[in-house]
């Protein structure tokens, strides 16, 4: 399925969790939300933990349309990325979503907004038997709690 804009954003601190509803909001609300997220994601003093950050960023940017995409982010830790091991495999049609993730990651690394938008519209999968770089999920090096503690010093008790 094609990515859709996020409808709910969750932000958690050591003390509280906040949910932000993004459905059917005014242009002013979305502008303020975008400025807040630009500040939050760009801050080096705040550590952000995601699971599948490239896809999350694409979906976040789909929210803002003419306001423009969020391009800068610092101190972002992607737990999914830490669980991935690279290898070569032959793809078959059911594995096409992995190709989409790889294209999203490459577009983000190159800061290519045009590619991000085109990937959101359509993704052409490889033909059966095409050899591409694939990602395999392996055992994580630790729990989410240990990753957060290692990089930020904060203990999650939730």
């Amino acid at each position: 399925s094609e990515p859709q804009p996020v409808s709910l954003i969750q932000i958690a601190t050591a003390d509280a969790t906040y949910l932000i509803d993004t459905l059917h909001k005014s242009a002013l609300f979305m502008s303020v939300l975008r400025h807040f997220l630009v500040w939050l994601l760009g801050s080096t003093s705040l550590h952000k933990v995601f699971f599948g950050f490239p896809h999350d960023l694409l979906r976040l940017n789909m929210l803002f349309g003419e306001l423009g995409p969020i391009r800068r982010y610092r101190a972002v830790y992607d737990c999914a990325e830490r669980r991935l091991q690279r290898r070569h495999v032959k793809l078959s049609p059911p594995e096409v979503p992995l190709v989409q993730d790889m294209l999203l990651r490459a577009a983000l690394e190159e800061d290519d907004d045009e590619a991000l938008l085109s990937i959101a519209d359509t993704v052409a999968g490889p033909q059966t038997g095409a050899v591409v770089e694939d990602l395999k999920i392996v055992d994580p090096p630790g729990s989410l709690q240990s990753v957060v503690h290692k990089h930020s010093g904060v203990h999650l008790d939730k």
Side-chain angles (χ1 to χ4, degrees):
S1 68
E2 294 193 22
Q4 299 294 319
V6 296
S7 58
L8 190 65
I9 298 172
Q10 177 180 341
I11 299 173
T13 67
D15 302 320
T17 300
Y18 304 92
L19 296 175
I20 302 169
D21 179 6
T22 62
L23 287 179
H24 312 295
K25 299 299 181 186
S26 69
L28 176 61
F29 178 90
M30 295 308 289
S31 178
V32 170
L33 177 61
R34 184 185 177 283
H35 285 288
F36 168 72
L37 291 174
V38 165
W39 169 80
L40 179 69
L41 290 173
S43 172
T44 56
S45 63
L46 299 172
H47 298 274
K48 285 73 66 179
V49 178
F50 285 82
F51 192 89
F53 179 69
H55 188 68
D56 289 346
L57 184 61
L58 170 74
R59 294 184 63 208
L60 269 175
N61 281 331
M62 292 173 75
L63 278 177
F64 302 118
E66 294 178 6
L67 295 174
I70 297 172
R71 295 184 181 152
R72 305 256 185 253
Y73 48 89
R74 304 286 185 269
V76 170
Y77 302 97
D78 189 344
C79 293
E81 185 66 30
R82 294 183 55 84
R83 295 179 64 205
L84 298 175
Q85 174 184 3
R86 299 188 187 282
R87 64 187 176 101
H88 286 331
V89 298
K90 289 190 172 192
L91 291 181
S92 59
E95 297 177 6
V96 169
L98 291 175
V99 173
Q100 184 178 13
D101 287 344
M102 290 186 316
L103 293 172
L104 288 171
R105 183 172 287 109
L108 280 170
E109 288 172 357
E110 296 172 10
D111 199 22
D112 187 348
D113 296 332
E114 203 170 291
L116 284 171
L117 293 175
S118 68
I119 292 166
D121 292 334
T122 59
V123 175
Q127 297 186 7
T128 302
V131 177
V132 298
E133 184 176 330
D134 186 17
L135 302 173
K136 175 187 175 191
I137 295 179
V138 296
D139 291 331
S143 67
L144 174 60
Q145 290 175 339
S146 66
V147 171
V148 170
H149 180 64
K150 177 181 176 185
H151 293 289
S152 70
V154 173
H155 281 294
L156 296 178
D157 295 329
K158 298 176 185 177

